[in-house]
Amino acid sequence: MSLESDIETLWQRYDDGDVDAASATVDELDTLDAFLDALEAGAVRAAEKTGPDVTSWEANEWVKRGILLNFGLRETLVREYGDVRYHDVLPLRDTDDLGDRGTRNTPDGTVVRRGAHLGADCIMMSPSFVNIGASVGDDTLVDSCDTVGSCAQIGADVKLGANTLIGGVLEPVEDAPVVVEDGVALGAGCRVTSGFVVGGNSIVGENTLLTPRIPVYDLVDEEIYYGHLPANRRAFTRFVESSLGDHDLFAGGAYKPAVVALDIEDDTLDATCREEALRE
């Protein structure tokens, strides 16, 4: 049987109430360990791109079920991380393999949970956190105070600016997680949540919130998009007039956030290239 079929069979038994954390056998836990190993190796992923368009990302439901099984079929135990004792169903990821692939994680606060994939030549600055099911591509920088949530898919050659939050999407299993495609640069303080997809080679300004509830006014295609930013865009937050503008509570009018997307200018690309020197 394949790993996928093993997970699907175990999920059905769990969903039917035939197995739980108290009754899980060694063989069943071995299956879960093999699944986590596959996630860490990048052999399986929580989502994949099924076509050329930025909107073609789809969740691998069986992978997300496997992650949920690791919570449902494991007991919470006392664990240790350095001098810290904590309680969790999973240990942290073994990072002994990172050095052989040129990946760096600086001390005192880079936390990688079991089941997270880090590519080659990545940099994780402390403090930062990568959760179970997340995939971080080659040559990507995870800067200080960054969080990469469960199942988030971060491409290759991505820069996550300091204090950036990449949200996690674990349930429902059919929902695709947050995706940041190859070559993206997110400025400091950005938030990407609720399954939003950032198209490849885009540059996003500081403190921009990207979520399906906030419209993207794309001045290149002259379209309004929800849930994704097209590839090769320069995006930033602006405020547009709200439908509550005439309300008595809002003297002078009320405004709501929006994202404006433009073509990437040559000087913006030059500035991004200069930052690459910091990652060599």
Side-chain angles (χ1 to χ4, degrees), residues 44-87:
V44 300
R45 293 176 61 171
E48 60 185 335
K49 197 173 186 180
T50 59
D53 192 75
V54 69
T55 60
S56 65
W57 283 88
E58 295 182 4
N60 284 326
E61 296 183 24
W62 77 270
V63 174
K64 296 179 78 175
R65 290 190 181 106
I67 294 171
L68 289 170
L69 284 171
N70 272 278
F71 294 106
L73 297 183
R74 294 184 187 271
E75 301 281 1
T76 298
L77 301 175
V78 178
R79 304 181 185 276
E80 293 187 358
Y81 176 68
D83 296 329
V84 177
R85 290 167 60 86
Y86 66 100
H87 297 77

Side-chain angles (χ1 to χ4, degrees), residues 102-165:
T103 290
R104 292 182 275 160
N105 59 317
T106 59
D108 294 331
T110 52
V111 179
V112 187
R113 205 174 189 194
R114 185 86 161 90
H117 170 69
L118 291 177
D121 298 313
C122 293
I123 300 174
M124 280 190 67
M125 300 300 294
S126 62
S128 57
F129 175 69
V130 180
N131 206 347
I132 183 173
S135 178
V136 178
D138 297 347
D139 298 297
T140 286
L141 170 66
V142 180
D143 212 339
S144 298
C145 301
D146 288 352
T147 295
V148 179
S150 56
C151 298
Q153 303 296 293
I154 310 298
D157 198 30
V158 169
K159 178 182 182 297
L160 303 181
N163 198 31
T164 291
L165 170 66

